[in-house]
Amino acid sequence: MIWRLVVLLHVLLLGAGSSSRGGRTVTFHRPQQDDSQDRGRTRRETRPFHGPPFTSCRTPLTPVEHKVLDDNTHETGFNGDDGSYVILTWVGDGTGVVLVLSTFSAPIDSFIEGGSSRLYRSTDYAKSFHDISHRINNTFIREEFGVSVGPGGSVILTADIPVVDNRGGIIFTSTDAGATFKFIQLPFHLAQPITYHFLNPDYLVALSIDGGLWLSLDFGAKWTKVHDGVHSFSWGAGINLFFSRSRTDAVEAEERGDLLLKRTTDLGKTFTTIHEDIFSFGYIGAFLFFSVMEDPRSPRVMYFSSDQGDTFSRALLPSASTEQFYSILDGDVDMLFMHVDNPGDTFFGTMYTSDDRGILFSKSLERHLFDGQRKSDFTNITFSTDEGQCWKSYNFTEQPFFFAGLASEPGTKAMNVSVWGFRPEEDGQPMWVAVTIDFQSLITRE
Ligand SMILES: *[C@@H]1O[C@H](CO)[C@@H](O)[C@H](O)[C@H]1NC(C)=O
Ligand SMILES: *[C@@H]1O[C@H](CO)[C@@H](O)[C@H](O)[C@H]1NC(C)=O
Ligand SMILES: *[C@@H]1O[C@H](CO)[C@@H](O)[C@H](O)[C@H]1NC(C)=O
Ligand SMILES: *[C@@H]1O[C@H](CO)[C@@H](O)[C@H](O)[C@H]1NC(C)=O
């Protein structure tokens, strides 16, 4: 479907706010129906766009408003970029730095031929971009690891290199918001993206594909293995690091329910066991929570600790059978929102909120819909409608445009909104396009 995009000013601002709620990274996909013969194009679904319905009346812009928009609309065509998706990440807070990674997903067997990613950087809130792919040596980046942004403008990219014939993975690190990158050879292969400490960007934790827990205290330059047989880990307060490990050094997913929850308070020098027979654990807000299978056939029960695991109590929540699950939806130091799955494959559950000790829960919402990806669907709660207003329309691009999504810096005051999409070039190849509109001038004028 070809969209002739008409910007509906108010709606766009609302919509953009919601699209950025998920975090600092947005991924846009391009449907792949037209190029089945092309190597490196896997089947990807288009991200459905659920915008507010455009049912309001439309009034034309005044000539002055038109001029202001013309002057504040910036279009970038990513020439020759025909990747199936782009990953866009804001670096730092209010710095205006945006990194865009555009790659295509090559099938596993094409590693030998190599692939390359394009990396772009904007320093003016996505109004213009520079191709900085050469700064990462045009290396193919693992898209599923994305662009990891840490405190203070630190950035990590993971190269996509095969496990065989390489003793470890390769990462590119930046401490200056992507202006320059450093190349680092790891002594292990990453199983998942590297995790930053909440506050200190020098402290990194990684899990290797063979269950090793690795720690770096100098932003990735040097790595030390702190434990084997690790299933998952999480930073806690300060330098508390929690992890679950299997009883043997081999990690089997089936063994869950038989894991040990452990803690190190001195960056891997010493360890204590907090609990045995745990199924899963997490740390959110100021709470450590873990579910325990007291015997393999009994439902698991949830425990909470508000003192980094020194003491813990059983949470007053229904117990969950193996088919059900608990999910912490959100939380801060005072409160947790917890979803407890209903029995059966219903997608529904009950939402509970905790008291400030994380122990006593009260039912706050029945038939709570869960999107299945173990994330919150809270976005729905804040959608407020502005019905009855008149929207003004503006055609910001004259050419047909396939709409992929909207992006703006997370935060309520974001005024630079980017519309992402692609359009066919003369040779029929699609080209990614970003159109960024600065609404500041319009808003302040009103
Ligand atoms: C970059 O590419 C060149 C040429 O392929 C190679 O010699 C060099 O080692 C690479 N450097 C890094 C940091 O990957
Ligand atoms: C979101 O809210 C609307 C309006 O209240 C409702 O119709 C819709 O079903 C809700 N969606 C979800 C996913 O809960
Ligand atoms: C925008 O484009 C549509 C479709 O081509 C056209 O009908 C409409 O008049 C245009 N609006 C403005 C304000 O130029
Ligand atoms: C929008 O972008 C401009 C730079 O082009 C910047 O000066 C301005 O602060 C940005 N506005 C917001 C609200 O971030």
Side-chain angles (χ1 to χ4, degrees):
M1 194 193 348
I2 291 180
W3 290 65
R4 181 170 292 276
L5 258 197
V6 176
V7 176
L8 299 159
L9 294 180
H10 211 123
V11 173
L12 196 94
L13 283 170
L14 276 175
S18 71
S19 80
S20 62
R21 281 182 76 83
R24 308 192 64 81
T25 292
V26 183
T27 304
F28 298 120
H29 293 293
R30 188 168 65 74
Q32 303 287 299
Q33 74 275 50
D34 52 340
D35 46 19
S36 47
Q37 81 280 17
D38 273 0
R39 179 188 72 80
R41 311 286 177 70
T42 53
R43 309 133 307 271
R44 291 210 166 259
E45 285 165 33
T46 342
R47 200 171 103 130
F49 174 61
H50 302 293
F54 296 141
T55 49
S56 320
C57 57
R58 295 178 180 181
T59 50
L61 291 168
T62 66
V64 176
E65 286 170 328
H66 209 281
K67 168 103 176 49
V68 172
L69 267 169
D70 278 349
D71 293 347
N72 292 285
T73 301
H74 310 262
E75 184 175 323
T76 308
F78 294 86
N79 257 311
D81 253 13
D82 57 358
S84 60
Y85 55 87
V86 290
I87 298 170
L88 170 149
T89 305
W90 286 271
V91 186
D93 280 315
T95 58
V97 176
V98 180
L99 290 178
V100 169
L101 182 68
S102 132
T103 60
F104 34 96
S105 351
I108 297 289
D109 58 15
S110 71
F111 273 126
I112 325 97
E113 296 172 56
S116 79
S117 307
R118 287 221 176 85
L119 185 65
Y120 299 90
R121 185 166 182 262
S122 171
T123 52
D124 57 5
Y125 295 81
K127 286 170 191 146
S128 62
F129 287 91
H130 301 279
D131 187 341
I132 57 162
S133 313
H134 58 279
R135 291 188 202 158
I136 55 165
N137 223 11
N138 299 303
T139 309
F140 200 37
I141 298 298
R142 281 183 82 153
E143 56 95 8
E144 75 276 23
F145 284 15
V147 179
S148 309
V149 176
S154 44
V155 179
I156 301 175
L157 297 169
T158 308
D160 200 344
I161 61 160
V163 170
V164 282
D165 301 333
N166 284 291
R167 71 187 175 89
I170 289 171
I171 56 169
F172 296 92
T173 60
S174 173
T175 51
D176 53 11
T180 59
F181 280 92
K182 201 174 139 193
F183 159 98
I184 292 172
Q185 167 80 59
L186 301 174
F188 56 90
H189 287 280
L190 286 167
Q192 58 186 54
I194 288 174
T195 300
Y196 289 92
H197 184 263
F198 295 125
L199 302 171
N200 187 339
D202 284 340
Y203 290 4
L204 302 177
V205 187
L207 200 57
S208 65
I209 53 173
D210 54 359
L213 183 67
W214 293 76
L215 189 64
S216 171
L217 304 180
D218 53 9
F219 196 44
K222 217 168 79 233
W223 289 88
T224 314
K225 195 204 279 192
V226 295
H227 215 287
D228 274 313
V230 171
H231 190 271
S232 66
F233 66 85
S234 176
W235 285 107
I239 55 166
N240 283 286
L241 181 63
F242 301 102
F243 60 93
S244 60
R245 61 153 308 188
S246 56
R247 289 181 186 277
T248 62
D249 278 353
V251 180
E252 297 286 333
E254 278 64 42
E255 274 186 311
R256 290 178 64 175
D258 193 25
L259 298 171
L260 303 180
L261 176 59
K262 302 194 71 117
R263 173 179 76 171
T264 174
T265 57
D266 51 14
L267 301 169
K269 292 188 194 75
T270 60
F271 304 95
T272 48
T273 297
I274 294 173
H275 208 284
E276 298 186 349
D277 300 326
I278 74 146
F279 180 82
S280 63
F281 85 98
Y283 186 87
I284 191 161
F287 297 105
L288 172 71
F289 57 92
F290 50 94
S291 58
V292 176
M293 282 174 88
E294 271 147 5
D295 111 42
R297 285 171 313 281
S298 67
R300 57 191 190 280
V301 292
M302 181 68 82
Y303 285 85
F304 279 87
S305 171
S306 49
D307 56 9
Q308 307 296 308
D310 288 337
T311 60
F312 46 84
S313 333
R314 186 172 162 178
L316 297 180
L317 277 172
S319 55
S321 69
T322 34
E323 309 87 64
Q324 292 167 266
F325 58 87
Y326 292 111
S327 181
I328 308 283
L329 298 173
D330 206 350
D332 57 25
V333 289
D334 294 324
M335 199 187 249
L336 278 177
F337 293 87
M338 167 77 86
H339 171 100
V340 183
D341 188 34
N342 284 349
D345 226 353
T346 62
F347 293 103
F348 285 98
T350 306
M351 195 171 88
Y352 293 83
T353 47
S354 74
D355 66 354
D356 57 4
R357 294 162 303 152
I359 298 165
L360 200 68
F361 278 79
S362 44
K363 209 180 266 194
S364 69
L365 188 65
E366 299 210 43
R367 275 187 71 72
H368 175 247
L369 181 67
F370 195 76
D371 70 5
Q373 294 178 316
R374 309 210 162 195
K375 276 187 300 186
S376 161
D377 60 355
F378 281 144
T379 40
N380 212 35
I381 292 170
T382 54
F383 272 154
S384 57
T385 52
D386 264 326
E387 278 170 46
Q389 292 205 18
C390 279
W391 311 114
K392 300 190 174 192
S393 61
Y394 170 69
N395 295 347
F396 66 86
T397 168
E398 284 309 309
Q399 287 159 276
F401 190 85
F402 291 83
F403 180 69
L406 295 166
S408 68
E409 184 173 14
T412 48
K413 294 220 177 68
M415 288 287 172
N416 294 299
V417 178
S418 300
V419 182
W420 284 79
F422 51 90
R423 62 171 166 239
E425 286 182 278
E426 270 148 33
D427 60 2
Q429 281 297 313
M431 174 175 83
W432 281 98
V433 177
V435 180
T436 300
I437 306 151
D438 192 340
F439 287 100
Q440 191 85 55
S441 42
L442 279 163
I443 307 297
T444 45
R445 215 175 40 79
E446 284 164 8

